[in-house]
């Protein structure tokens, strides 16, 4: 078989690993806005339009009407610990947006493991939350240019349509420059070096020149 036709090493399959439509997490510190100790319930903010540095550059999650699909959180949303699907520590009662931020009301379960996390949140030993989400469509804003809504200046990638699928209380917030996206980029670079085929990078340089260099 011609090595250039090897499906396991094709440039197309490798470049697909670099897609920004993969599942991602975003971490931030949270403030307890209201707390009902009897019901073990509190409200928190889990996302905003603050730029977030990714391996592909600044990322902005749009919070304009219709940008966020909250159906999954509102229908079957759960509260996790450290994004571990086997550590469900509570439920998401409701999620909503207001003033370009997303909020959730969550209630902790009463089992021993959940109570440990709940008590640490109450005492503010744990004060970081992370949202897991997937982006459906992006707007790429070139350096010095403005987004379609006139609110963001490039370079940046604006998530126009995205869906959160879980919220986690996290012990140690992840570095935004590492994780799923960064790991995939490292694997991609390693495979390119092992293969000795830099055609992807050459095409990417041309694409960047056409996208950014040609814009006046």
């Amino acid at each position: 078989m011609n090595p250039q036709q090897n499906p396991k090493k094709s440039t197309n399959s490798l470049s697909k690993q670099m897609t920004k439509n993969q599942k991602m997490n975003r971490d931030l510190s949270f403030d307890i806005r209201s707390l009902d100790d009897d019901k073990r319930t509190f409200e928190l903010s889990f996302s905003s339009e603050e730029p977030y540095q990714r391996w592909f550059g600044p990322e902005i999650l749009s919070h304009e009407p219709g940008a966020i699909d909250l159906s999954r959180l509102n229908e079957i949303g759960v509260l996790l610990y450290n994004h571990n699907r086997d550590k469900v520590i509570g439920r998401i009662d409701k999620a909503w947006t207001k003033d370009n931020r997303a909020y959730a009301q969550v209630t902790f379960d009463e089992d021993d493991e959940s109570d440990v996390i709940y008590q640490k949140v109450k005492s503010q030993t744990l004060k970081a939350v992370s949202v897991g989400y997937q982006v459906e469509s992006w707007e790429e804003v070139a350096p010095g240019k403005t987004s379609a809504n006139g609110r963001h200046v490039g370079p940046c990638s604006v998530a126009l349509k995205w869906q959160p699928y879980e919220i986690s209380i996290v012990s140690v917030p992840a570095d935004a420059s590492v994780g799923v996206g960064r790991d995939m980029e490292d694997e991609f670079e390693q495979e390119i070096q092992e293969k000795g085929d830099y055609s992807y990078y050459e095409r990417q340089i041309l694409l960047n020149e056409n996208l950014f260099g040609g814009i006046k």
Side-chain angles (χ1 to χ4, degrees):
M1 177 183 291
N2 188 328
Q4 295 180 349
Q5 297 178 342
N6 188 340
K8 295 182 179 180
K9 295 290 185 178
S10 68
T11 304
N12 287 338
S13 64
L14 291 174
S15 62
K16 286 179 180 178
Q17 294 181 28
M18 302 291 287
T19 178
K20 292 186 294 184
N21 287 26
Q22 62 193 323
K23 292 182 178 180
M24 294 186 284
N25 300 324
R26 174 179 284 215
D27 303 329
L28 70 159
S29 297
F30 64 88
D31 295 322
I32 298 177
R33 296 185 175 272
S34 66
L35 177 63
D36 187 325
D37 202 24
D38 293 333
K39 296 181 179 179
R40 306 167 63 88
T41 298
F42 65 88
E43 295 179 2
L44 56 83
S45 173
F46 63 87
S47 69
S48 70
E49 291 192 342
E50 184 72 20
Y52 200 76
Q53 190 63 37
R54 291 288 187 187
W55 57 273
F56 51 77
E59 172 202 65
I60 296 174
L61 297 178
S62 174
H63 284 64
E64 292 195 340
I68 313 176
D69 181 358
L70 295 172
S71 60
R72 184 165 178 175
L73 291 186
N74 281 316
E75 293 171 5
I76 58 172
V78 293
L79 184 67
L80 303 180
Y81 181 57
N82 282 337
H83 298 290
N84 188 335
R85 295 182 179 181
D86 294 327
K87 292 188 176 181
V88 177
I89 58 175
R91 68 176 185 270
I92 298 173
D93 299 316
K94 61 180 179 178
W96 69 96
T97 59
K98 180 181 179 181
D99 298 330
N100 295 321
R101 296 183 71 92
Y103 298 90
Q105 177 179 301
V106 301
T107 299
F108 277 86
D109 290 338
E110 297 184 4
D111 60 277
D112 291 341
E113 186 173 10
S114 299
D115 187 63
V116 169
I117 306 303
Y118 173 67
Q119 296 300 331
K120 290 182 181 296
V121 169
K122 280 184 59 180
S123 66
Q124 296 190 350
T125 300
L126 293 176
K127 45 190 174 183
V129 65
S130 182
V131 58
Y133 61 96
Q134 189 161 13
V135 179
E136 297 179 10
S137 64
W138 297 89
E139 177 188 3
E140 302 295 343
V141 184
K145 299 298 179 179
T146 305
S147 61
N149 63 8
R151 297 177 54 208
H152 310 296
V153 178
C156 62
S157 299
V158 182
L160 300 177
K161 295 284 185 180
W162 61 282
Q163 182 181 49
Y165 55 87
E166 58 94 355
I167 297 174
S168 286
I169 303 297
V170 293
S171 54
V172 181
D175 184 344
S177 64
V178 300
V180 177
R182 182 68 253 178
D183 289 345
M184 294 178 72
E185 187 178 23
D186 289 341
E187 292 174 4
F188 177 80
E189 291 176 352
Q190 181 179 357
E191 196 157 358
I192 286 290
Q193 291 174 2
E194 292 176 353
K195 182 181 177 183
D197 179 6
Y198 293 88
S199 58
Y200 171 81
Y201 287 132
E202 293 169 356
R203 288 197 302 275
Q204 192 63 46
I205 291 173
L206 291 175
L207 176 63
N208 291 340
E209 289 177 349
N210 290 335
L211 180 60
F212 300 130
I215 298 177
K216 304 298 184 182

Coordinates of all heavy atoms in Angstrom, one line a residue, residues 46 68-79 91-97 102-106 131-132 163-167:
F46 N -21.5 29.5 36.5 CA -20.6 28.5 35.9 C -20.0 28.9 34.6 O -19.1 28.2 34.1 CB -21.2 27.1 35.8 CG -22.4 27.1 34.8 CD1 -22.2 26.8 33.5 CD2 -23.7 27.2 35.3 CE1 -23.3 26.7 32.6 CE2 -24.8 27.1 34.5 CZ -24.6 26.9 33.1
I68 N -26.7 29.5 24.0 CA -26.5 28.3 24.9 C -27.7 27.4 24.9 O -28.8 27.8 25.2 CB -26.2 28.8 26.4 CG1 -25.2 29.9 26.4 CG2 -25.7 27.6 27.2 CD1 -24.9 30.5 27.7
D69 N -27.5 26.1 24.7 CA -28.5 25.1 24.8 C -28.5 24.5 26.2 O -27.6 23.7 26.6 CB -28.3 24.0 23.8 CG -29.4 23.0 23.8 OD1 -30.3 23.0 24.7 OD2 -29.3 22.0 23.0
L70 N -29.3 25.0 27.1 CA -29.4 24.5 28.5 C -30.3 23.3 28.7 O -30.5 22.9 29.9 CB -29.8 25.7 29.4 CG -28.8 26.9 29.5 CD1 -29.5 28.0 30.2 CD2 -27.5 26.5 30.1
S71 N -30.8 22.8 27.7 CA -31.8 21.7 27.8 C -31.3 20.5 28.6 O -32.0 19.9 29.4 CB -32.3 21.3 26.4 OG -31.3 20.8 25.6
R72 N -30.0 20.1 28.3 CA -29.5 18.9 29.0 C -29.3 19.2 30.5 O -29.7 18.3 31.3 CB -28.2 18.5 28.3 CG -27.6 17.3 28.9 CD -26.5 16.7 28.0 NE -25.9 15.5 28.5 CZ -25.0 14.8 27.9 NH1 -24.5 15.2 26.7 NH2 -24.4 13.7 28.5
L73 N -28.8 20.3 30.8 CA -28.7 20.6 32.3 C -30.0 20.7 32.9 O -30.2 20.2 34.1 CB -27.9 22.0 32.5 CG -26.5 22.0 32.1 CD1 -25.9 23.4 32.5 CD2 -25.7 20.9 32.7
N74 N -31.0 21.3 32.3 CA -32.3 21.4 32.9 C -33.1 20.1 32.9 O -34.0 20.0 33.8 CB -33.1 22.5 32.2 CG -32.7 23.9 32.6 OD1 -32.5 24.2 33.8 ND2 -32.5 24.8 31.6
E75 N -32.8 19.2 32.0 CA -33.6 18.0 32.0 C -33.0 16.8 32.8 O -33.6 16.1 33.5 CB -33.8 17.5 30.5 CG -34.7 18.5 29.7 CD -34.7 18.2 28.2 OE1 -34.0 17.2 27.8 OE2 -35.3 19.0 27.5
I76 N -31.6 16.7 32.6 CA -31.0 15.5 33.3 C -29.7 15.9 33.9 O -28.8 15.1 34.1 CB -30.7 14.4 32.3 CG1 -29.9 14.8 31.1 CG2 -32.0 13.8 31.8 CD1 -29.4 13.7 30.2
G77 N -29.5 17.2 34.2 CA -28.2 17.7 34.7 C -27.9 17.2 36.1 O -28.7 17.0 37.0
V78 N -26.6 16.8 36.3 CA -26.1 16.3 37.5 C -24.8 17.2 37.9 O -24.2 17.7 37.1 CB -25.7 14.8 37.5 CG1 -26.9 14.0 37.3 CG2 -24.7 14.6 36.4
L79 N -24.6 17.2 39.2 CA -23.4 17.8 39.8 C -22.4 16.7 40.0 O -22.6 15.8 40.7 CB -23.7 18.6 41.0 CG -22.6 19.4 41.7 CD1 -22.2 20.6 40.8 CD2 -23.1 19.9 43.1
R91 N -27.7 17.2 42.1 CA -28.4 17.4 40.9 C -28.4 18.9 40.6 O -28.2 19.8 41.4 CB -29.9 16.9 41.1 CG -30.7 17.7 42.1 CD -32.1 17.2 42.2 NE -33.0 18.1 43.0 CZ -33.1 17.9 44.3 NH1 -32.6 16.8 44.9 NH2 -33.9 18.7 45.0
I92 N -28.7 19.2 39.3 CA -28.9 20.5 38.9 C -30.4 20.8 38.8 O -31.1 20.2 38.0 CB -28.2 20.8 37.5 CG1 -26.7 20.6 37.6 CG2 -28.5 22.2 37.0 CD1 -26.0 20.6 36.3
D93 N -30.9 21.7 39.6 CA -32.3 21.9 39.7 C -32.8 22.8 38.5 O -33.8 22.6 37.9 CB -32.7 22.6 41.0 CG -32.3 21.8 42.2 OD1 -32.6 20.6 42.2 OD2 -31.8 22.3 43.2
K94 N -32.0 23.8 38.2 CA -32.3 24.6 37.0 C -31.0 25.4 36.6 O -30.1 25.6 37.4 CB -33.4 25.6 37.3 CG -33.2 26.5 38.5 CD -34.4 27.5 38.7 CE -34.1 28.4 39.9 NZ -35.2 29.4 40.1
A95 N -31.0 25.8 35.3 CA -29.9 26.6 34.8 C -30.5 27.7 33.9 O -31.5 27.5 33.3 CB -29.0 25.7 34.0
W96 N -29.9 28.8 34.0 CA -30.4 30.0 33.3 C -29.3 31.0 33.0 O -28.1 30.8 33.5 CB -31.5 30.7 34.1 CG -31.1 31.4 35.3 CD1 -30.8 32.7 35.5 CD2 -30.8 30.7 36.6 NE1 -30.4 32.9 36.8 CE2 -30.4 31.8 37.5 CE3 -30.9 29.4 37.1 CZ2 -30.1 31.5 38.8 CZ3 -30.6 29.2 38.4 CH2 -30.2 30.2 39.2
T97 N -29.6 32.0 32.2 CA -28.6 33.0 31.8 C -29.1 34.4 32.3 O -30.3 34.6 32.2 CB -28.2 33.1 30.3 OG1 -29.4 33.3 29.6 CG2 -27.6 31.8 29.9
A102 N -23.9 32.5 33.0 CA -24.8 31.4 33.1 C -24.8 31.0 34.6 O -23.7 30.9 35.2 CB -24.4 30.2 32.2
Y103 N -26.0 30.6 35.1 CA -26.1 30.3 36.5 C -26.8 28.9 36.6 O -27.5 28.5 35.7 CB -27.0 31.3 37.3 CG -26.4 32.7 37.3 CD1 -26.7 33.6 36.3 CD2 -25.5 33.1 38.3 CE1 -26.1 34.9 36.3 CE2 -24.9 34.4 38.3 CZ -25.2 35.3 37.3 OH -24.7 36.5 37.3
A104 N -26.6 28.3 37.8 CA -27.3 27.1 38.1 C -27.6 27.0 39.6 O -26.9 27.5 40.4 CB -26.4 25.9 37.7
Q105 N -28.8 26.4 39.9 CA -29.1 26.1 41.2 C -28.9 24.6 41.4 O -29.4 23.8 40.6 CB -30.6 26.4 41.5 CG -31.1 26.0 42.9 CD -32.5 26.4 43.2 OE1 -32.9 27.5 43.1 NE2 -33.3 25.4 43.5
V106 N -28.1 24.3 42.4 CA -27.8 22.8 42.6 C -28.1 22.4 44.0 O -28.1 23.2 44.9 CB -26.3 22.6 42.3 CG1 -25.9 23.0 40.8 CG2 -25.4 23.3 43.3
V131 N -17.3 23.7 34.1 CA -18.4 23.2 33.3 C -17.8 22.4 32.1 O -16.8 22.8 31.5 CB -19.2 24.4 32.8 CG1 -18.4 25.4 32.0 CG2 -20.4 24.0 32.0
G132 N -18.5 21.3 31.8 CA -18.1 20.5 30.6 C -19.1 20.9 29.5 O -20.3 21.0 29.8
Q163 N -23.3 23.8 24.1 CA -24.1 23.1 25.0 C -23.3 22.6 26.2 O -22.4 21.8 26.1 CB -24.9 22.0 24.4 CG -25.8 21.2 25.4 CD -26.5 20.1 24.7 OE1 -25.9 19.2 24.1 NE2 -27.8 20.0 24.9
P164 N -23.6 23.1 27.4 CA -23.0 22.5 28.6 C -23.7 21.2 29.0 O -25.0 21.1 28.8 CB -23.3 23.6 29.7 CG -24.5 24.3 29.2 CD -24.5 24.3 27.7
Y165 N -23.0 20.2 29.4 CA -23.6 18.9 29.7 C -23.4 18.4 31.1 O -24.0 17.5 31.6 CB -23.1 17.8 28.7 CG -21.6 17.7 28.6 CD1 -20.9 16.9 29.5 CD2 -20.9 18.4 27.6 CE1 -19.5 16.7 29.4 CE2 -19.5 18.2 27.5 CZ -18.9 17.4 28.4 OH -17.5 17.3 28.3
E166 N -22.5 19.1 31.9 CA -22.3 18.8 33.3 C -21.6 19.9 34.0 O -20.9 20.7 33.4 CB -21.6 17.5 33.5 CG -20.2 17.4 32.9 CD -19.1 17.7 33.9 OE1 -19.4 18.2 35.0 OE2 -17.9 17.6 33.5
I167 N -21.8 20.0 35.3 CA -21.1 21.0 36.1 C -20.4 20.2 37.2 O -21.0 19.2 37.8 CB -22.1 22.0 36.7 CG1 -22.7 22.8 35.6 CG2 -21.3 22.9 37.7 CD1 -23.8 23.8 36.2

